[in-house]
Amino acid sequence: MTLINGLPAHVLFVHVVVVLIPLTALALVTAALWPRAARRLGALLPVLAVVALASVPLTTHAGEWLERHVDDDALVRRHTELGDGLLPWAMGLFVLAAVVWWAGRRAPAEAGQSGGSRWSALPVRIVVGVLSVAVAVGAVVDVYRIGDSGAKAAWHDAYSKSATGSQHGS
């Protein structure tokens, strides 16, 4: 998919990534650090993560099409290079979201068993929590860097720094 209603699909799809990656990161960290939140989120956490993951290659594919239809520019090349690095972060969010969801749904059933659950052991929860925070921060920072480079590529010489034309409400 490269065009939607005459507009480059990338400029529309990017909004999905910009919303879903940070939202998934926030939900993941909350669920990883607060088991009750993991149980309340339930399957929504991995579903959100898989939709966020799927939106990344869809957006980059549309962006590659758009790159071939704009002037060659160092800012566009930089944005493209940064954009190619988001998929591993999105995969990390998905994998950890699946682990947290799986552990959260197993914990109540195993809580009554003697010895408790392996997943509820404090060292495992700490490792999953630290990994979740690290991947969430990395993903959100990467989305910011990609978005900033994309905005610079799109707008660096595309507007006047002083107002032009008639001004309304003056």
Side-chain angles (χ1 to χ4, degrees):
M1 190 178 286
T2 54
L3 291 173
I4 297 176
N5 202 24
L7 292 174
H10 180 73
V11 300
L12 300 172
F13 292 161
V14 73
H15 293 88
V16 175
V17 172
V18 166
V19 170
L20 289 186
I21 295 292
L23 185 61
T24 301
L26 177 63
L28 172 62
V29 168
T30 301
L33 300 179
W34 188 20
R36 179 182 244 171
R39 288 189 299 277
R40 284 190 176 195
L41 283 170
L44 179 62
L45 180 61
V47 168
L48 181 63
V50 79
V51 172
L53 173 60
S55 71
V56 172
L58 185 67
T59 303
T60 54
H61 172 72
E64 289 165 357
W65 177 89
L66 181 57
E67 180 185 22
R68 291 188 302 271
H69 291 83
V70 297
D71 293 336
D72 187 35
D73 181 271
L75 293 173
V76 172
R77 285 191 305 275
R78 175 73 176 145
H79 175 64
T80 302
E81 290 168 7
L82 288 171
D84 288 339
L86 185 58
L87 189 58
W89 291 112
M91 280 191 228
L93 288 173
F94 171 70
V95 168
L96 286 165
V99 167
V100 169
W101 167 76
W102 186 79
R105 71 185 273 273
R106 289 183 50 96
E110 294 178 355
Q113 297 175 358
S114 63
S117 167
R118 250 185 31 197
W119 285 101
S120 64
L122 187 58
V124 173
R125 286 189 50 212
I126 290 171
V127 168
V128 170
V130 167
L131 284 173
S132 295
V133 169
V135 170
V137 168
V140 170
V141 167
D142 207 32
V143 165
Y144 171 81
R145 291 176 64 223
I146 295 163
D148 183 60
S149 70
K152 286 177 181 171
W155 292 98
H156 71 281
D157 284 332
Y159 70 98
S160 173
K161 294 192 187 337
S162 61
T164 61
S166 64
Q167 293 187 358
H168 299 283
S170 29

